[in-house]
Amino acid sequence: MKVGIYGGTFDPVHRGHIDPVLAAVGQLGLAEAIYLPTARPPHKAGRPLAPARRRYEMVELAVAGEAHLRVSGFELREDGPAYTIETIEHFRGADPKVDLHLLLGTDSFLELHIFRRWRDIVSAVTFAVLGRSAAPLEPSPGSAAWVARTQGRVVEIDHPPVDVSSTEVRRYLSRGDRPPTGWVPEAVVDYALKHQLYS
């Protein structure tokens, strides 16, 4: 069974986090794609975030009604950063036969070298790269991403770029405004404004 795992802060979740994942489900034949909102991202230390439980609940709202998408609270622990290799080992331990696909944006994939135990990650998963631009994916020779690609562990998902960023969404919400239609599921906008997450 093919399963995708997709970690991030999702602060807040928007269409750029959803549409490419749905494309990956279809193109790779994934049984499901699991979102993993992270309480304490190791690579974004110091930036203030909306509370982890609130971000988790926004992702739940965003994927409601999508049969192949679900949310896991595995990375919500507050006792330390959530490392990708530990998440992979968790899901592999739950089902040793699962064919894991790690869904990553292009930027994150090209920074694979900063991931803890990246060589173990390369050995354990197939990378499904959710491109954010029309530019071809060209890892630097010798880099961790290049190693993954040369080992045939990378699939690029064919999906047009979604020109939305969480930073821009937060700017609207911080003013009490609704982002442009189509940027964020309406239920997520309602939730963020109700709880004044970015005010």
Side-chain angles (χ1 to χ4, degrees):
M1 179 174 70
K2 291 184 179 180
V3 171
I5 55 176
Y6 184 34
T9 54
F10 306 115
D11 190 31
V13 64
H14 55 69
R15 295 309 310 183
H17 297 128
I18 300 168
D19 295 352
V21 173
L22 289 171
V25 168
Q27 291 173 36
L28 300 175
L30 301 179
E32 61 181 359
I34 304 169
Y35 286 75
L36 292 137
T38 304
R40 297 179 59 189
H43 309 312
K44 294 185 180 179
R47 185 172 77 74
L49 301 170
R53 179 54 59 178
R54 297 295 194 192
R55 291 184 281 111
Y56 176 94
E57 290 172 353
M58 285 191 285
V59 178
E60 281 192 316
L61 290 170
V63 304
E66 298 289 355
H68 297 285
L69 307 183
R70 72 176 178 91
V71 191
S72 167
F74 179 75
E75 292 194 356
L76 286 183
R77 63 185 186 274
E78 295 279 1
D79 58 341
Y83 293 104
T84 300
I85 188 60
E86 295 170 355
T87 300
I88 291 168
E89 290 171 343
H90 166 75
F91 285 99
R92 179 79 66 209
D95 182 359
K97 295 181 180 179
V98 70
D99 183 3
L100 281 179
H101 287 64
L102 180 61
L103 280 58
L104 291 173
T106 302
D107 294 346
S108 294
F109 176 67
L110 293 175
E111 293 178 346
L112 182 59
H113 60 281
I114 69 174
F115 283 53
R116 176 174 284 195
R117 294 170 51 199
W118 68 263
R119 292 183 187 278
D120 291 338
I121 296 174
V122 170
S123 299
V125 300
T126 298
F127 296 89
V129 181
L130 312 173
R132 287 193 175 179
S133 71
L137 184 64
E138 295 181 355
S140 300
S143 67
W146 181 86
V147 170
R149 192 170 190 180
T150 57
Q151 291 185 9
R153 310 290 294 185
V154 180
V155 178
E156 294 181 60
I157 301 304
D158 183 17
H159 188 275
V162 181
D163 191 20
V164 182
S165 76
S166 293
T167 301
E168 286 297 317
V169 172
R170 288 194 299 272
R171 285 185 182 137
Y172 280 93
L173 296 174
S174 70
R175 302 191 297 261
D177 295 334
R178 302 184 76 86
T181 301
W183 279 23
V184 183
E186 293 301 315
V188 173
V189 176
D190 291 341
Y191 183 96
L193 291 173
K194 174 183 176 181
H195 296 285
Q196 299 181 322
L197 297 182
Y198 304 101
S199 299

